[in-house]
Amino acid sequence: MYVINRTCFSVLIVAFFGYSQGFSTVSTVARPVPNVHPLYSSRLASPLDLPKYEHVEPEITEENPLRVLIAGAGVGGLALANSLSKNPRMRVTVLERTDKFKRFGGPIQLASNALQVIKEMDEDVFDKIMEKFVTTGDKMNGIKDGIRNEWYAMFDLHSPAVSRNMPYTGVIERPDLQQVYLDALPRGIVHNSEKVVSYETNKHGYGVKAIMDSGNEVEGDVLIGADGIWSTVRATMRNAPVRGADSGVTYSGYTVFAGELEYDSFDNGEVGYKVYIGPGQYFVITDTGNGRYQWYAFLAKPCGSAENEEKPEGSSKYLQNIFDGWSEEIHHILKATQEHEIEQRDLYDRPPSVLKPWTEGNVALLGDAVHAMMPNLGQGGCQAFEDAMVLEQELGSAVNRDDIEQKLKRYQSRRLIRSAAVQGLSRFASDIIILGFDTPAKIVMKDGPSIKFENFNYAGIVTKILQPLLPIFFAIQFNFLYEGWKNESVVDFKASSLALFLVGTLILAFAVGSAEEAMVFGGLRLESISAGGAEGMLGAEGLETLLTNIRDFFSVDRFIPGY
């Protein structure tokens, strides 16, 4: 139950608290330094010179700009670089480990909160993105019974966006998104083949040096680790390994198969995405536009199953067997997918960094480097954009180099609770669907007065009972995601309603079969749910809906007219 409790803890937190410029380089050996902007000379130094830092004045001005180093050219790092590069008091350098940018990676979901952030940061970039964007939030989206192929619960992505005058959720190919930002950046900002492996800070003045695997060093005033889940900046900050048990990155317990293909779907243009639930696994189909679709199969498997489990007939056939008896819609798209269109990877995430630092002096973490999360809510990239916006605001408001450390701490305080909650919700979505939900129980009338009870086990009954509660939870969830995108305070009580935690906890408690076990979070224990407490959690309407569904489900006269 460790995974479940860790999830609940991060949801509990939110309930109660509600990217023309160049750089100066120092090298450990006398070798040519690649990618040095002609405006700024590199200086080669002997080992005795290495501790030396450039002398800079405290005040941040156009003549004495803040030197911002960004490790990693993912979408979060590029978004930050793009916004900071427009500020004449900033000199931005992006250090990217790959030798060149290639078309790699499939579609990425950008929810309304991320799109609003992108628009706020750079409207021209937003317009370019929308040219390649495929909207899904204005279509039907929801959960289906994976066995019976019936709709189970719908996601209303339309109303929360319309009520806030926000763009609809949708998808874009990750390489296209990255290219929009690369095209927007001035030449000379992004430097390839520069993998940051660690850093050192000036203990007696201003400056931080990013150390490359080549032995080169780049000096700046600020270093932002946007280098992903296996972040070397984070490892240095926390004196921990990049990988392994002590890195803080853990295997989620789930492996995912992903397919991307041209597909003629019967509901093209009507449905954005469908999540098929059933016993111990689930399947997702998403419209990515222009006649292309992407699907995911989430399975609870031991770590390393991608490499160790044999699939002699290929992944498609393997999955067809795994999902035997499930919806024909799943089998139809699996049969249409060629082997080279399928990839499998184990999923890793991190617990919320509540007690571990996001910052150290003038170094800070962004995106997956600090809050890697499960992909179920499609919020990983979205939260990186929110990080970038807040960092741009905080760094942009600094007038003196002495301000930077506190500005970065304020960034952490504005983002900590919200990102932790989204991490928790993302893990919650995985755990609840795989560990808790099943094919919903159903009572079917047969010929005459006979009745057939389908899937009348604990999980099946609970899955049926909770059916009307999920739309309420989804509404609270999307309110939280869409309302709090500005990150204006440490806790946005309007966005992070107590109901987010309470409704989620109730669902989790039912699903795992033990309310008491599900609600023990370390040393903090919540009392078992009572009828009175439930009304406070759900509100009168939510509680009445739940109780009515229970009563109606077991009502005899529903099945035997005239009884």
Side-chain angles (χ1 to χ4, degrees):
M1 298 310 303
Y2 165 73
V3 170
I4 296 282
N5 290 336
R6 188 180 75 178
T7 299
C8 289
F9 177 70
S10 52
V11 182
L12 173 65
I13 292 170
V14 72
F16 288 109
F17 305 103
Y19 138 46
S20 95
Q21 294 103 351
F23 54 84
S24 141
T25 301
V26 180
S27 175
T28 58
V29 293
R31 65 177 69 175
V33 180
N35 296 319
V36 176
H37 193 284
L39 291 179
Y40 305 96
S41 62
S42 65
R43 60 185 180 88
L44 305 179
S46 69
L48 293 177
D49 294 325
L50 290 179
K52 295 182 180 179
Y53 287 79
E54 287 188 29
H55 174 75
V56 290
E57 296 298 326
E59 188 177 3
I60 301 170
T61 65
E62 293 187 23
E63 294 74 26
N64 185 34
L66 189 71
R67 303 164 299 169
V68 181
L69 309 179
I70 301 174
V75 293
L78 290 177
L80 176 61
N82 179 59
S83 288
L84 289 179
S85 69
K86 300 180 185 303
N87 187 330
R89 299 187 304 112
M90 301 286 158
R91 181 192 301 171
V92 185
T93 302
V94 178
L95 304 167
E96 167 56 29
R97 63 183 180 84
T98 60
D99 59 348
K100 61 181 178 180
F101 294 102
K102 306 173 184 177
R103 288 197 64 86
F104 176 79
I108 178 175
Q109 175 175 294
L110 297 180
S112 297
N113 57 306
L115 291 171
Q116 193 68 33
V117 166
I118 293 169
K119 188 175 183 179
E120 184 86 0
M121 295 179 74
D122 192 327
E123 196 155 355
D124 290 337
V125 163
F126 172 80
D127 291 340
K128 292 292 184 181
I129 289 173
M130 297 311 292
E131 291 175 7
K132 297 179 178 294
F133 198 70
V134 178
T135 300
T136 57
D138 59 346
K139 301 177 178 65
M140 291 177 59
N141 301 279
I143 300 176
K144 299 189 78 171
D145 180 336
I147 307 297
R148 302 189 188 101
N149 202 36
E150 301 169 351
W151 284 104
Y152 173 74
M154 306 301 295
F155 305 141
D156 181 10
L157 301 178
H158 177 271
S159 299
V162 170
S163 65
R164 296 168 176 83
N165 195 29
M166 297 173 75
Y168 289 127
T169 292
V171 296
I172 183 173
E173 294 288 338
R174 188 180 294 270
D176 290 338
L177 177 61
Q178 188 179 48
Q179 193 61 52
V180 168
Y181 277 105
L182 289 171
D183 290 344
L185 282 165
R187 289 178 59 86
I189 285 184
V190 180
H191 299 260
N192 292 91
S193 300
E194 293 289 4
K195 180 181 178 179
V196 177
V197 294
S198 65
Y199 67 85
E200 65 177 34
T201 57
N202 187 355
K203 305 299 182 183
H204 307 288
Y206 307 119
V208 57
K209 292 180 181 178
I211 303 172
M212 313 301 147
D213 60 353
S214 64
N216 293 337
E217 297 181 350
V218 184
E219 181 181 332
D221 298 303
V222 184
L223 172 62
I224 306 299
D227 48 345
I229 188 170
W230 311 113
S231 171
T232 56
V233 177
R234 181 191 68 240
T236 303
M237 178 184 294
R238 299 180 180 177
N239 191 27
V242 175
R243 297 174 181 263
D246 296 328
S247 68
V249 179
T250 58
Y251 177 56
S252 67
Y254 308 115
T255 191
V256 61
F257 290 80
E260 187 180 359
L261 69 157
E262 292 184 359
Y263 181 62
D264 184 16
S265 178
F266 73 96
D267 55 9
N268 179 264
E270 299 176 3
V271 177
Y273 65 88
K274 301 169 283 190
V275 181
Y276 300 80
I277 64 170
Q281 57 201 32
Y282 64 104
F283 198 93
V284 182
I285 299 178
T286 305
D287 181 357
T288 59
N290 302 314
R292 295 189 63 80
Y293 278 77
Q294 188 173 43
W295 56 259
Y296 303 93
F298 290 85
L299 310 175
K301 292 282 186 179
C303 182
S305 65
E307 295 80 21
N308 301 329
E309 190 169 7
E310 294 184 0
K311 306 172 188 68
E313 297 181 274
S315 294
S316 177
K317 186 63 177 178
Y318 171 83
L319 290 172
Q320 291 173 49
N321 292 332
I322 290 285
F323 287 91
D324 183 43
W326 285 54
S327 168
E328 183 56 35
E329 294 176 10
I330 295 175
H331 288 270
H332 194 273
I333 198 168
L334 284 174
K335 292 175 182 177
T337 311
Q338 301 180 53
E339 284 300 309
H340 71 272
E341 296 172 323
I342 305 175
E343 294 182 353
Q344 180 189 0
R345 69 183 187 276
D346 290 342
L347 295 176
Y348 292 81
D349 66 352
R350 301 181 54 81
S353 293
V354 178
L355 302 178
K356 293 187 177 182
W358 287 40
T359 70
E360 179 190 49
N362 287 11
V363 182
L365 304 173
L366 175 155
D368 281 355
V370 67
H371 50 61
M373 60 190 68
M374 295 290 285
N376 304 80
L377 297 186
Q379 279 287 322
C382 300
Q383 293 303 300
F385 279 115
E386 291 194 14
D387 288 350
M389 179 189 70
V390 175
L391 269 172
E392 185 273 332
Q393 291 171 353
E394 294 297 332
L395 291 177
S397 66
V399 297
N400 192 295
R401 283 167 172 77
D402 293 322
D403 300 337
I404 300 304
E405 184 172 358
Q406 282 304 121
K407 294 293 184 179
L408 294 181
K409 288 182 178 179
R410 177 163 168 76
Y411 152 70
Q412 173 181 338
S413 68
R414 289 174 62 184
R415 290 290 298 134
L416 176 61
I417 303 301
R418 178 171 166 85
S419 65
V422 179
Q423 279 181 285
L425 286 168
S426 298
R427 176 56 82 103
F428 175 92
S430 295
D431 293 340
I432 197 69
I433 294 176
I434 289 185
L435 301 179
F437 280 11
D438 202 337
T439 301
K442 189 174 185 179
I443 303 176
V444 181
M445 290 293 300
K446 305 292 288 185
D447 295 336
S450 62
I451 300 174
K452 180 182 180 181
F453 294 85
E454 296 182 353
N455 207 43
F456 256 70
N457 53 46
Y458 181 86
I461 294 173
V462 168
T463 303
K464 180 61 180 180
I465 290 173
L466 293 178
Q467 187 171 3
L469 190 59
L470 284 181
I472 299 173
F473 180 74
F474 293 150
I476 296 169
Q477 171 185 291
F478 291 126
N479 177 71
F480 166 69
L481 291 173
Y482 294 179
E483 191 70 36
W485 65 272
K486 291 184 179 181
N487 293 272
E488 291 179 318
S489 58
V490 174
V491 182
D492 187 339
F493 284 101
K494 180 180 178 182
S496 53
S497 169
L498 181 63
L500 178 68
F501 165 71
L502 296 174
V503 177
T505 301
L506 181 62
I507 293 173
L508 185 62
F510 272 114
V512 300
S514 170
E516 190 171 349
E517 182 179 10
M519 289 187 285
V520 178
F521 314 116
L524 179 65
R525 176 175 176 144
L526 302 182
E527 296 300 322
S528 297
I529 298 172
S530 64
E535 181 171 357
M537 292 179 180
L538 305 179
E541 181 181 354
L543 178 61
E544 180 62 28
T545 300
L546 178 61
L547 295 178
T548 298
N549 189 62
I550 297 172
R551 183 173 59 249
D552 290 348
F553 183 67
F554 290 103
S555 177
V556 175
D557 61 4
R558 177 186 173 199
F559 308 105
I560 306 178
Y563 178 83

